[in-house]
Amino acid sequence: MRKRPIFTVLLTISFLFFIGSVFVPKATMQTQPTLAGRWQIRSTPINDEKVSNKGNTLGFPDRDMHFSEDGGIRTGFVDREDVGTSVHPLGVWRMDGNRFSATFQLWCPDDNFPCGSVVMRGEFVNDNRVRGTMTAFFDVTDTTRPTGYDTWPFAFTGDRIE
């Protein structure tokens, strides 16, 4: 008679381990955050730097940014409604867990304006909010900066626009 209760207990424990291993969420079941979609990105100065060392600025506090993903190709563009509906600087992005980076070209209409690029590095606060830092790299020599070019770092937050 003693073998039956031990057998029942062992069978119950085995069953519970089986149920726990089958129904516990696994990493493959979790969804990765994605930038794909439209975002309202708000920029704020770091250390109250409203322009770069050489006086360059992006001239905006807010931008609509659009990110898309087609297979493994991740692209984006920025609405520049301040200069016209046909101006959309292009970019690319990548993900690493809940962190992302994106790089965009700067719009430069002629030789009177510096060209360059903007690099974003950020993280997801939740599925619909991001935060991080951006740096504008202008094609203007600045020997006081480690890159040798005029740079301008700033912080950003962003919300997904449905």
Side-chain angles (χ1 to χ4, degrees), residues 53-75:
N53 276 356
K54 298 292 183 174
N56 293 306
T57 181
L58 299 179
F60 66 90
D62 299 338
R63 283 284 180 254
D64 280 347
M65 300 178 104
H66 304 260
F67 296 91
S68 61
E69 184 172 13
D70 184 12
I73 300 172
R74 296 174 172 161
T75 58

Side-chain angles (χ1 to χ4, degrees), residues 36-91:
R38 183 175 168 204
W39 293 82
Q40 177 72 43
I41 304 293
R42 286 169 302 287
S43 302
T44 55
I46 295 175
N47 296 328
D48 205 33
E49 284 186 46
K50 295 185 171 86
V51 297
S52 71
N53 276 356
K54 298 292 183 174
N56 293 306
T57 181
L58 299 179
F60 66 90
D62 299 338
R63 283 284 180 254
D64 280 347
M65 300 178 104
H66 304 260
F67 296 91
S68 61
E69 184 172 13
D70 184 12
I73 300 172
R74 296 174 172 161
T75 58
F77 68 90
V78 180
D79 279 338
R80 286 297 309 266
E81 58 278 338
D82 59 320
V83 293
T85 58
S86 63
V87 178
H88 301 288
L90 302 176

Side-chain angles (χ1 to χ4, degrees), residues 100-158:
F100 65 90
S101 62
T103 303
F104 287 87
Q105 66 185 15
L106 286 177
W107 179 68
C108 47
D110 57 45
D111 292 341
N112 295 322
F113 296 92
C115 292
S117 58
V118 173
V119 177
M120 301 172 70
R121 294 187 53 122
E123 65 184 356
F124 280 81
V125 176
N126 59 47
D127 287 344
N128 296 311
R129 178 164 271 244
V130 293
R131 68 176 173 209
T133 58
M134 283 194 239
T135 302
F137 294 88
F138 300 101
D139 292 342
V140 175
T141 303
D142 183 352
T143 57
T144 66
R145 297 289 194 181
T147 62
Y149 290 97
D150 189 23
T151 58
W152 181 39
F154 45 98
F156 72 88
T157 58

